[in-house]
Amino acid sequence: MYKETENATRRLLIGEGIYCWVLIERKRFYQNVSITQGEGGFEINLDNRKLKTPQAKLFIVPSEALATAVATEWDSQQDTIKFYTMHLTTLCNTSLDNPTQRSKDQLIRAALKFLDTDTICYRVEEPETLVELQKNEWDPIIEWAETRYGVKIGVSTSILGPSVPAKTQEILASHLASYNMWALQGIEFVVAQLKSMVLALGLIDLRLTVEQAVLLSRLEEEYQIQKWGNIEWAHDYELQELRARAAAGTLFVHLCSESTTIKHKLLRE
């Protein structure tokens, strides 16, 4: 379910607790982007203006590395600001505003719910070539996750999906609880993009690259495209957009888990 909010220059949707920019653009109104250290974190400056969240809170992030990454998003905008391409900024806004006021436990449950419908745990019974493809491509990452976390993750050809043991839920919930609230926002975002908790864990744990995780999440779709063809521009756009979102979410998780700082950097002089 999506809730719409609006202020003078921004329209966005709140879905599943995460801000989602409507496809709107705005003329770039600033020349310089910089970061400065303030009380409690690092701020983004657009010329002499401090960046604010959709709820008009001061945009302040916990690490200089994350601030630099966000500043790079703003600095890379050309004549037009395309808010919907700025995934790190959106994740920071979500973390700062917490628009649906979710707790840490709620974030963990939101990510774990994808285990019950995990993309790579649903298997087809035919055709044989797709059955084999799913087995060859998906089984290794499931086996990795089971070994890495000491859990059991089943697969199923039933429309009801696999039955996930309570112990698996408990262990993975404990693992997710080791992350801070900001990182959890990123984890849930990656899980939602890939529609797979297992693939998200593999990506965040650096077992998979972004390209590998995205391809595995779209395995059946790519199989059908190879067989029947596709609308080229639409396929390419969807693929690149999914890669961008998965990459941004993964980077966000790692930067929110970083304790190191880097030197103050003025991005445009």
Side-chain angles (χ1 to χ4, degrees):
M1 181 176 179
Y2 289 89
K3 174 184 176 183
E4 186 172 315
T5 182
E6 183 173 1
N7 64 22
T9 58
R10 303 172 178 179
R11 286 182 68 242
L12 50 82
L13 298 175
I14 303 171
E16 299 299 324
I18 297 175
Y19 280 137
C20 309
W21 286 106
V22 176
L23 297 181
I24 61 170
E25 301 176 355
R26 179 187 177 187
K27 183 177 174 59
R28 178 165 172 159
F29 59 89
Y30 55 90
Q31 293 295 320
N32 302 317
V33 183
S34 64
I35 60 175
T36 52
Q37 187 167 10
E39 290 186 18
F42 295 84
E43 303 167 3
I44 310 296
N45 307 300
L46 306 178
D47 294 332
N48 296 320
R49 308 178 188 180
K50 292 185 182 296
L51 187 62
K52 299 292 183 65
T53 72
Q55 292 184 13
K57 296 177 182 177
L58 179 64
F59 189 103
I60 187 164
V61 300
S63 77
E64 191 173 3
L66 178 57
T68 300
V70 170
T72 300
E73 282 190 331
W74 284 88
D75 194 54
S76 66
Q77 302 300 305
Q78 302 300 312
D79 294 335
T80 301
I81 306 170
K82 299 179 179 179
F83 295 106
Y84 53 87
T85 67
M86 303 166 73
H87 305 306
L88 291 173
T89 298
T90 299
L91 283 166
C92 288
N93 280 330
T94 300
S95 296
L96 287 164
D97 284 349
N98 193 7
T100 54
Q101 298 300 304
R102 292 188 298 174
S103 67
K104 186 171 185 176
D105 284 344
Q106 287 174 316
L107 280 173
I108 291 171
R109 288 199 299 271
L112 284 177
K113 74 178 182 181
F114 280 88
L115 268 179
D116 297 323
T117 57
D118 200 293
T119 294
I120 71 173
C121 294
Y122 275 89
R123 303 298 173 89
V124 300
E125 295 183 282
E126 58 180 356
E128 187 60 34
T129 50
L130 182 54
V131 172
E132 283 301 308
L133 183 63
Q134 290 180 337
K135 178 179 176 59
N136 293 337
E137 297 295 330
W138 285 346
D139 281 3
I141 189 64
I142 288 179
E143 291 168 4
W144 166 82
E146 289 180 332
T147 301
R148 165 70 174 81
Y149 297 102
V151 297
K152 180 64 178 176
I153 301 171
V155 300
S156 174
T157 57
S158 168
I159 193 172
L160 298 177
S163 177
V164 181
K167 187 65 175 177
T168 294
Q169 297 268 4
E170 181 183 329
I171 291 173
L172 293 180
S174 178
H175 171 70
L176 293 179
S178 68
Y179 288 92
N180 61 47
M181 282 282 287
W182 282 60
L184 281 172
Q185 292 280 8
I187 291 171
E188 188 204 356
F189 180 76
V190 176
V191 172
Q193 302 312 306
L194 300 176
K195 296 180 174 57
S196 170
M197 182 70 187
V198 179
L199 291 178
L201 289 172
L203 180 54
I204 292 166
D205 230 15
L206 306 182
R207 168 62 175 77
L208 297 170
T209 64
V210 170
E211 290 77 10
Q212 288 172 331
V214 167
L215 181 59
L216 290 173
S217 75
R218 292 167 52 93
L219 193 64
E220 185 171 353
E221 184 177 352
E222 294 295 331
Y223 172 85
Q224 298 296 344
I225 287 171
Q226 296 248 343
K227 186 173 182 180
W228 304 108
N230 67 289
I231 302 174
E232 187 172 342
W233 67 266
H235 170 263
D236 291 346
Y237 175 81
E238 290 173 1
L239 185 62
Q240 294 304 321
E241 178 63 14
L242 182 53
R243 285 176 177 171
R245 289 175 177 273
T250 303
L251 178 61
F252 184 80
V253 173
H254 285 280
L255 292 181
C256 289
S257 303
E258 278 286 341
S259 59
T260 58
T261 59
I262 59 177
K263 291 183 178 181
H264 167 78
K265 185 176 183 180
L266 183 64
L267 293 175
R268 178 178 287 194
E269 298 180 355

